[in-house]
Amino acid sequence: MKLSLTDWLFPSYCVLCQNQIHSSLGLCQFCLDDLPLLDLAEYDNLFYRPDIVEMFPNCSFEKLFACAFYQPPFDLWLKQLKFNNQIHYKKALQQVIKKQLTIFTNKQHLAAAVFIILPLHKSRFFSRGFNQVTQVWQPCLSSFKVLNNVLIRNKNTSAQSQLSKTKRIKNLQQAFSCTANLEGKTVVIIDDIMTTGATLNAATLSLKEAGAKQVWAFTTCLTPL
């Protein structure tokens, strides 16, 4: 790895092994290659994996993409970014997402798809100051068509992490609306963590009501049983 003068003056370090890396990165190549990522070369639709489809039955979307299970080190990175705005973990997550997207797009054609990052309710956005999913994912989607401000979060729902599956579903009834005409389109919706699928199902319902032919769910991590 060739380091620039800036890298020497303002060094950056791998979030795992602490070796010096280029300032644009969060992980060295060795640590990136060693991460326990989901095998998208074998399962480009994770619903084809028996253990995963058993974890998430009755999903309304047709395909599922994820980078890894919600376990170390990903759980720490996502929590620190989401709740403490520790943005140095963002670069590491983006490296992981770009690696998995490359594998996925080698098997799936996404040129005609439109991408929508799940929004926060405006009150939660103003209190937090940022949407962590947008922060991480938007720079990874430069090759795709991203639609912003067309999926609206109508309800300032209770924190999903504290609810049972049944209460999550009830909490999200009519939580989303879509202002775009998506007639006949394949739509990719993006979230950071999928625990039961209730949020993604609620968004999928709204997008299909707007005409979407298929909805694919992309998420950084899946919460295992």
Side-chain angles (χ1 to χ4, degrees), residues 11 27 33-34 41 53 75 89 93 95 101 110 117 135 138-139 150 158 161 174 209 221:
L27 290 161
D33 292 341
D34 201 40
V53 77
D75 53 353
Y89 292 117
L93 289 166
Q95 280 180 264
L101 275 176
L110 285 173
I117 297 172
Q135 271 198 351
Q138 187 91 35
V150 300
S158 304
S161 58
Q174 298 180 326
E209 288 176 348
C221 288

Short mmCIF file of all heavy atoms in Angstrom, two decimals, residues 11 27 33-34 41 53 75 89 93 95 101 110 117 135 138-139 150 158 161 174 209 221:
data_model
loop_
_atom_site.label_atom_id
_atom_site.label_comp_id
_atom_site.label_asym_id
_atom_site.label_seq_id
_atom_site.Cartn_x
_atom_site.Cartn_y
_atom_site.Cartn_z
N PRO A 11 -2.24 10.36 9.95
CA PRO A 11 -2.38 8.93 9.72
C PRO A 11 -3.76 8.38 10.10
O PRO A 11 -4.42 8.87 11.02
CB PRO A 11 -1.30 8.32 10.62
CG PRO A 11 -1.05 9.35 11.68
CD PRO A 11 -1.25 10.67 11.01
N LEU A 27 -10.49 -0.15 6.86
CA LEU A 27 -9.96 -1.47 7.11
C LEU A 27 -8.77 -1.73 6.19
O LEU A 27 -8.78 -1.32 5.02
CB LEU A 27 -11.01 -2.55 6.82
CG LEU A 27 -12.21 -2.66 7.76
CD1 LEU A 27 -13.33 -3.43 7.07
CD2 LEU A 27 -11.82 -3.33 9.06
N ASP A 33 -10.59 -9.06 4.21
CA ASP A 33 -10.69 -10.43 3.69
C ASP A 33 -11.03 -11.43 4.78
O ASP A 33 -11.55 -12.52 4.48
CB ASP A 33 -9.38 -10.83 3.01
CG ASP A 33 -9.12 -10.05 1.74
OD1 ASP A 33 -10.07 -9.48 1.18
OD2 ASP A 33 -7.95 -10.00 1.31
N ASP A 34 -10.74 -11.08 6.03
CA ASP A 34 -10.92 -12.02 7.14
C ASP A 34 -12.28 -11.90 7.81
O ASP A 34 -12.60 -12.68 8.71
CB ASP A 34 -9.81 -11.80 8.17
CG ASP A 34 -9.60 -13.00 9.07
OD1 ASP A 34 -9.65 -14.14 8.56
OD2 ASP A 34 -9.39 -12.81 10.28
N ALA A 41 -21.81 -15.15 -3.29
CA ALA A 41 -21.45 -15.87 -4.51
C ALA A 41 -22.28 -17.14 -4.65
O ALA A 41 -22.65 -17.54 -5.75
CB ALA A 41 -19.96 -16.20 -4.50
N VAL A 53 -34.25 -18.16 5.50
CA VAL A 53 -35.69 -18.09 5.20
C VAL A 53 -36.50 -18.55 6.41
O VAL A 53 -37.63 -18.08 6.63
CB VAL A 53 -36.04 -18.90 3.93
CG1 VAL A 53 -36.07 -20.39 4.20
CG2 VAL A 53 -37.37 -18.43 3.34
N ASP A 75 -21.82 -5.29 14.90
CA ASP A 75 -22.76 -4.71 15.86
C ASP A 75 -22.16 -3.48 16.55
O ASP A 75 -22.83 -2.46 16.70
CB ASP A 75 -23.22 -5.76 16.87
CG ASP A 75 -22.08 -6.49 17.57
OD1 ASP A 75 -20.91 -6.28 17.20
OD2 ASP A 75 -22.37 -7.27 18.49
N TYR A 89 -16.22 4.62 11.78
CA TYR A 89 -16.63 3.26 11.42
C TYR A 89 -17.34 3.23 10.06
O TYR A 89 -17.55 2.17 9.49
CB TYR A 89 -17.55 2.67 12.49
CG TYR A 89 -16.84 2.40 13.79
CD1 TYR A 89 -17.19 3.07 14.96
CD2 TYR A 89 -15.80 1.47 13.86
CE1 TYR A 89 -16.54 2.82 16.15
CE2 TYR A 89 -15.13 1.22 15.05
CZ TYR A 89 -15.50 1.90 16.19
OH TYR A 89 -14.84 1.66 17.37
N LEU A 93 -17.56 0.13 7.14
CA LEU A 93 -18.84 -0.43 6.67
C LEU A 93 -18.98 -0.26 5.16
O LEU A 93 -19.48 -1.15 4.47
CB LEU A 93 -20.00 0.25 7.40
CG LEU A 93 -20.15 -0.13 8.88
CD1 LEU A 93 -21.10 0.84 9.59
CD2 LEU A 93 -20.66 -1.56 9.02
N GLN A 95 -16.58 -0.19 2.94
CA GLN A 95 -15.73 -1.19 2.27
C GLN A 95 -16.44 -2.54 2.21
O GLN A 95 -16.39 -3.23 1.18
CB GLN A 95 -14.40 -1.34 3.02
CG GLN A 95 -13.39 -0.25 2.71
CD GLN A 95 -12.11 -0.47 3.48
OE1 GLN A 95 -11.91 0.11 4.55
NE2 GLN A 95 -11.23 -1.32 2.96
N LEU A 101 -21.57 -5.76 -2.68
CA LEU A 101 -22.31 -5.30 -3.87
C LEU A 101 -21.63 -5.77 -5.15
O LEU A 101 -22.31 -6.13 -6.12
CB LEU A 101 -22.41 -3.77 -3.87
CG LEU A 101 -23.54 -3.13 -3.08
CD1 LEU A 101 -23.41 -1.62 -3.13
CD2 LEU A 101 -24.90 -3.57 -3.61
N LEU A 110 -28.85 -4.98 -12.22
CA LEU A 110 -29.56 -3.96 -11.46
C LEU A 110 -29.66 -2.62 -12.19
O LEU A 110 -30.05 -1.63 -11.60
CB LEU A 110 -28.87 -3.73 -10.11
CG LEU A 110 -29.07 -4.81 -9.05
CD1 LEU A 110 -28.19 -4.53 -7.86
CD2 LEU A 110 -30.53 -4.86 -8.62
N ILE A 117 -33.41 4.56 0.07
CA ILE A 117 -32.92 4.36 1.44
C ILE A 117 -34.06 4.69 2.40
O ILE A 117 -34.69 5.74 2.29
CB ILE A 117 -31.70 5.26 1.71
CG1 ILE A 117 -30.55 4.86 0.76
CG2 ILE A 117 -31.27 5.15 3.17
CD1 ILE A 117 -29.37 5.80 0.81
N GLN A 135 -25.90 7.96 5.38
CA GLN A 135 -24.47 8.28 5.51
C GLN A 135 -23.60 7.15 4.99
O GLN A 135 -22.60 7.37 4.31
CB GLN A 135 -24.12 8.54 6.98
CG GLN A 135 -24.27 9.96 7.43
CD GLN A 135 -23.50 10.22 8.72
OE1 GLN A 135 -22.99 9.32 9.37
NE2 GLN A 135 -23.43 11.48 9.10
N GLN A 138 -25.26 5.85 0.78
CA GLN A 138 -25.35 6.73 -0.39
C GLN A 138 -24.07 6.75 -1.22
O GLN A 138 -24.12 6.64 -2.45
CB GLN A 138 -25.74 8.15 0.05
CG GLN A 138 -26.02 9.11 -1.10
CD GLN A 138 -27.48 9.13 -1.51
OE1 GLN A 138 -28.36 9.00 -0.67
NE2 GLN A 138 -27.74 9.29 -2.80
N PRO A 139 -22.87 6.87 -0.61
CA PRO A 139 -21.65 6.88 -1.44
C PRO A 139 -21.38 5.56 -2.15
O PRO A 139 -20.61 5.54 -3.11
CB PRO A 139 -20.54 7.18 -0.41
CG PRO A 139 -21.23 7.83 0.73
CD PRO A 139 -22.56 7.16 0.81
N VAL A 150 -39.01 10.27 -1.78
CA VAL A 150 -40.25 9.76 -2.36
C VAL A 150 -40.94 8.77 -1.42
O VAL A 150 -42.15 8.54 -1.53
CB VAL A 150 -40.01 9.08 -3.73
CG1 VAL A 150 -39.44 10.07 -4.71
CG2 VAL A 150 -39.13 7.86 -3.61
N SER A 158 -42.39 3.97 17.84
CA SER A 158 -41.55 3.63 18.98
C SER A 158 -40.32 2.88 18.50
O SER A 158 -40.34 2.27 17.42
CB SER A 158 -42.33 2.75 19.96
OG SER A 158 -43.53 3.38 20.37
N SER A 161 -36.37 -1.81 18.50
CA SER A 161 -35.50 -2.74 19.22
C SER A 161 -36.09 -3.19 20.55
O SER A 161 -35.69 -4.23 21.09
CB SER A 161 -34.13 -2.10 19.45
OG SER A 161 -34.27 -0.90 20.18
N GLN A 174 -49.24 1.39 8.40
CA GLN A 174 -49.38 2.67 7.69
C GLN A 174 -48.27 3.66 8.07
O GLN A 174 -48.48 4.87 8.07
CB GLN A 174 -50.76 3.29 7.97
CG GLN A 174 -51.91 2.40 7.48
CD GLN A 174 -53.27 2.99 7.76
OE1 GLN A 174 -53.48 3.66 8.76
NE2 GLN A 174 -54.20 2.74 6.85
N GLU A 209 -48.01 -0.62 -3.44
CA GLU A 209 -49.22 0.18 -3.66
C GLU A 209 -48.95 1.29 -4.68
O GLU A 209 -49.86 1.74 -5.38
CB GLU A 209 -49.71 0.78 -2.35
CG GLU A 209 -50.34 -0.26 -1.42
CD GLU A 209 -50.73 0.33 -0.07
OE1 GLU A 209 -50.30 1.48 0.23
OE2 GLU A 209 -51.43 -0.35 0.69
N CYS A 221 -26.86 -5.64 7.90
CA CYS A 221 -26.77 -6.84 8.74
C CYS A 221 -28.13 -7.47 9.00
O CYS A 221 -29.16 -6.78 9.03
CB CYS A 221 -26.14 -6.49 10.08
SG CYS A 221 -24.37 -6.13 10.01
#
